[in-house]
Amino acid sequence: MKKHCFFFLLLFSALSWCQNPKPDAVKDSLANEYIQLYEDDIKTRLGFSNSFNSFHIKDKNSNLDFTLSPNQRVRTTFTFMYKFIEFDLGYTPEFIRFNKDNESNGKTTFYNFSTRLYLGKWMQSIDYSKTKGFYVDKDDIGIDENLLFSDFQVRKFGGSTSYIFNPNFSFRAVFLQSEWQKKSAGSFVPGISYYFTRIKNNTPSEDNSIDIAAGPGYYYNWVINKKFLIAAGAYGGVGYNNTKTTYTDGTADEKVDGLSLQAQLSLNIGYNSERFYTGVTSRLNTFYYKTDPRIHIQDQQQFFEFYIGYRFKAPEKISNAVNNPQSIIKKK
């Protein structure tokens, strides 16, 4: 519990630091004919998303080629954003819980947290996810029923650090629409990513994997009739993977390391007006590596979301409290 408290305290401090007012030079470069700022607005957002981590495994030793997947389901999230403050509330009503196939695909529990921090041209992403309950489709391995792994658990923590070369290109317009791209623009965005993955099942073994990759990326925001946005991007990285398998039954630990390849693809379609905004977004993040010359593994993170949102001016009391908290203390 103490570790979790420390993590969120550290994260909140980073959020506060990264969301402080930008230097004038950076502000001037952003507040031009290319980008519309909404710094003084409160943003509310309702999203319907599907996010999951799957593993595609090809084993030449046994001629097996299958995908280990969680039982997917739609989730809803309500988000409140103002300055550096962001609250997320997740709840999925019964009438939109489309997956009624726990009996055939097993039950999956899923939790995730992600955020992006901006400091000038730098962008920092932080991701954490925990998934328990996977299955292999019967058609992949030629059996009569799906193969269930109810105790198979994956935890993934990491992120990426990227540099945005073009100040006229807005990443905020793509992910949360806290800004809007007024004119089409693109940018070269190189970056480095780093992830730690822990995999456990109801066996005496546990896998701990570290992936580090660096490479180039390019993203482009195409604006249509000032109100519509099509945003697409790709990133490719080359790096290092280290996987360590530990055992609790006395078996000697095993270590495997080697080349790691990473690919990220994203596609977003959005609509924006002064107050109302909506859109769909999809992302695919894949790590490819070999734990053995004859075993190929693809670790895939997939995300899809439809969202609707509304902006409105912050009440004066809230604005003063956030921009000048010392004034509240003085009044008291």
Side-chain angles (χ1 to χ4, degrees):
M1 182 65 183
K2 290 182 178 179
K3 291 182 178 179
H4 288 89
C5 292
F6 175 76
F7 168 74
F8 284 111
L9 179 61
L10 182 64
L11 181 61
F12 182 79
S13 301
L15 278 165
S16 304
W17 175 67
C18 290
Q19 296 294 343
N20 279 336
K22 306 180 184 68
D24 291 339
V26 178
K27 271 193 172 182
D28 291 342
S29 67
L30 288 174
N32 56 24
E33 71 271 21
Y34 281 87
I35 297 174
Q36 173 68 50
L37 303 177
Y38 296 106
E39 290 184 337
D40 297 324
D41 288 351
I42 291 176
K43 280 80 70 175
T44 57
R45 189 173 182 270
L46 180 64
F48 302 87
S49 65
N50 184 12
S51 176
F52 63 96
N53 197 166
S54 63
F55 298 88
H56 182 207
I57 301 170
K58 189 173 183 179
D59 187 349
K60 294 183 179 180
N61 295 319
S62 55
N63 293 320
L64 288 176
D65 188 345
F66 62 92
T67 299
L68 191 63
S69 304
N71 191 0
Q72 303 172 37
R73 61 188 176 96
V74 174
R75 297 170 181 85
T76 60
T77 304
F78 177 78
T79 303
F80 172 94
M81 297 171 287
Y82 180 59
K83 302 290 187 180
F84 62 86
I85 301 172
E86 178 178 329
F87 295 104
D88 297 288
L89 177 64
Y91 174 71
T92 306
E94 186 65 32
F95 69 90
I96 64 170
R97 295 178 183 175
F98 300 113
N99 64 323
K100 306 293 184 180
D101 51 8
N102 286 347
E103 185 174 343
S104 60
N105 295 347
K107 182 179 179 180
T108 294
T109 57
F110 175 81
Y111 170 80
N112 76 309
F113 170 85
S114 64
T115 189
R116 285 179 173 80
L117 316 175
Y118 297 88
L119 181 63
K121 292 184 177 182
W122 291 94
M123 180 180 71
Q124 176 68 49
S125 70
I126 300 173
D127 303 294
Y128 172 78
S129 65
K130 177 183 177 181
T131 309
K132 182 178 181 181
F134 287 72
Y135 77 98
V136 175
D137 191 277
K138 60 182 184 300
D139 295 331
D140 283 359
I141 52 180
I143 58 178
D144 295 332
E145 296 181 351
N146 293 342
L147 195 58
L148 306 184
F149 296 89
S150 58
D151 294 317
F152 193 91
Q153 178 179 285
V154 178
R155 293 192 183 193
K156 186 179 291 289
F157 175 74
S160 63
T161 304
S162 306
Y163 185 81
I164 306 167
F165 272 83
N166 186 0
N168 294 325
F169 171 80
S170 174
F171 252 127
R172 289 181 173 95
V174 176
F175 293 111
L176 290 175
Q177 289 201 20
S178 55
E179 294 178 353
W180 181 251
Q181 190 80 52
K182 295 160 64 176
K183 289 186 178 181
S184 300
S187 181
F188 177 57
V189 187
I192 179 171
S193 65
Y194 26 82
Y195 284 91
F196 171 77
T197 305
R198 173 169 291 170
I199 300 175
K200 295 195 302 182
N201 199 8
N202 58 345
T203 64
S205 65
E206 176 182 284
D207 290 334
N208 294 289
S209 180
I210 297 175
D211 288 286
I212 301 174
Y218 186 81
Y219 296 83
Y220 190 82
N221 289 345
W222 182 29
V223 181
I224 305 172
N225 293 330
K226 298 182 179 180
K227 296 290 186 180
F228 296 91
L229 176 72
I230 298 177
Y235 162 85
V238 178
Y240 169 77
N241 167 265
N242 175 273
T243 300
K244 180 180 179 180
T245 304
T246 59
Y247 296 88
T248 58
D249 61 357
T251 304
D253 294 348
E254 299 175 1
K255 293 182 181 180
V256 178
D257 55 8
L259 183 68
S260 174
L261 304 177
Q262 184 186 11
Q264 292 182 3
L265 300 173
S266 67
L267 177 63
N268 307 268
I269 301 173
Y271 168 83
N272 181 72
S273 64
E274 184 177 355
R275 296 301 177 200
F276 174 78
Y277 59 98
T278 185
V280 293
T281 180
S282 61
R283 294 192 299 272
L284 173 65
N285 184 21
T286 300
F287 281 99
Y288 173 84
Y289 51 89
K290 298 179 181 180
T291 58
D292 181 274
R294 290 168 293 181
I295 301 177
H296 300 176
I297 298 177
Q298 286 183 334
D299 180 354
Q300 299 180 328
Q301 296 171 281
Q302 300 178 53
F303 176 82
F304 179 83
E305 182 183 39
F306 166 75
Y307 62 88
I308 53 177
Y310 188 79
R311 308 182 190 94
F312 57 92
K313 290 295 182 183
E316 186 175 349
K317 289 184 178 180
I318 295 179
S319 179
N320 291 338
V322 174
N323 294 325
N324 188 18
Q326 292 180 351
S327 63
I328 299 177
I329 299 174
K330 288 180 180 180
K331 287 181 181 181
K332 290 183 177 180

